[in-house]
């Protein structure tokens, strides 16, 4: 049984790597029509397309659907790998693993968004202006993150009008607390469930 789980883990990891290559190749338009890219697309696009229609995975021009697809493959690979090392199975241990892997995936997304917010705040502090008019790259980032920044800050400001800089600071603090508190909560929950006698 352990050999089967190990083999399945290797297969899922290999497929995940192929998906990652496919995502990277989409960033290079000149390679989109190569024979290798077309072959790779025929293998991995049916899986990646499962996530493309989900609206909340898009944040402006950022599309997180490939990241979620890759994270789920990583979770599956880790679960299979962990199963291959387990002497016996218990529902508590399996649920604890799933909870830990779910938090790992969620934490990665929070970290990515947090880095975007911090970079944007640093640029605002250096340039001393809230929005980057005339810079297409920064305008694109602002269009992508501003709705999320304002939705997070609105919870704590009661809908009062605040500057983009202040909204970013509030959103960064909230995400830091969420990251720290979530880590503690999910670790406690995983340990609690792992200790279940069945």
């Amino acid at each position: 049984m352990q050999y089967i789980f190990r083999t399945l883990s290797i297969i899922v990891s290999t497929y995940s790597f192929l998906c990652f290559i496919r995502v990277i190749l989409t960033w290079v338009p000149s390679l989109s029509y190569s024979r290798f890219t077309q072959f790779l697309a025929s293998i991995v696009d049916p899986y990646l397309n499962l996530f493309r229609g989900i609206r909340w995975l898009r944040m402006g021009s950022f599309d997180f659907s490939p990241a979620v697809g890759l994270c789920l493959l990583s979770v599956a690979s880790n679960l299979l790998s962990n199963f291959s090392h387990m002497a016996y199975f218990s529902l508590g241990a399996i649920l604890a693993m799933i909870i830990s892997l779910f938090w790992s995936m969620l934490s990665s997304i929070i970290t990515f968004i947090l880095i975007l917010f911090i970079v944007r705040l640093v640029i605002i502090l250096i340039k001393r202006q809230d929005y980057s008019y005339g810079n297409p790259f920064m305008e694109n980032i602002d269009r992508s993150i501003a709705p999320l920044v304002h939705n997070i800050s609105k919870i704590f400001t009661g809908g009062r009008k605040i500057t983009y800089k202040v909204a970013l600071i509030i959103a960064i603090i909230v995400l830091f607390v969420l990251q720290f508190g979530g880590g503690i909560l999910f670790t406690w929950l995983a340990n609690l469930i792992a200790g279940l006698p069945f």
Side-chain angles (χ1 to χ4, degrees), residues 9 15 29 61 91 93 95 102 104 111 123 130 164 196:
S9 174
Y15 190 74
S61 62
L91 181 60
L95 289 175
F102 173 76
S104 175
T111 300
I123 291 170
D130 274 5
Y164 188 42
L196 291 175

Side-chain angles (χ1 to χ4, degrees), residues 56-152:
W56 60 269
L57 292 177
R58 289 193 69 84
M59 192 171 79
S61 62
F62 294 106
D63 183 6
F64 289 101
S65 62
V68 171
L70 288 170
C71 282
L72 287 177
L73 285 174
S74 176
V75 166
S77 175
N78 284 331
L79 278 174
L80 291 167
S81 178
N82 287 336
F83 289 161
S84 73
H85 293 96
M86 291 174 75
Y88 69 95
F89 297 101
S90 75
L91 181 60
I94 292 169
L95 289 175
M97 261 192 290
I98 291 170
I99 287 169
S100 296
L101 291 170
F102 173 76
W103 170 247
S104 175
M105 184 174 76
L106 189 60
S107 177
S108 298
I109 293 170
I110 292 170
T111 300
F112 175 76
I113 294 170
L114 193 53
I115 289 169
L116 272 178
F117 288 5
I118 291 170
V119 167
R120 188 61 189 106
L121 179 62
V122 168
I123 291 170
I124 286 173
L125 294 173
I126 291 171
K127 297 211 171 195
R128 297 174 191 251
Q129 60 184 22
D130 274 5
Y131 289 95
S132 290
Y133 300 110
N135 183 335
F137 179 71
M138 292 314 298
E139 286 178 8
N140 198 18
I141 287 179
D142 282 338
R143 263 195 308 276
S144 299
I145 68 172
L148 183 59
V149 168
H150 288 299
N151 284 337
I152 292 172

Side-chain angles (χ1 to χ4, degrees), residues 7-21 44 73 77:
T7 303
L8 288 173
S9 174
I10 291 168
I11 290 169
V12 171
S13 293
T14 304
Y15 190 74
S16 178
F17 180 71
L18 292 175
C19 288
F20 178 74
I21 300 245
V44 301
L73 285 174
S77 175

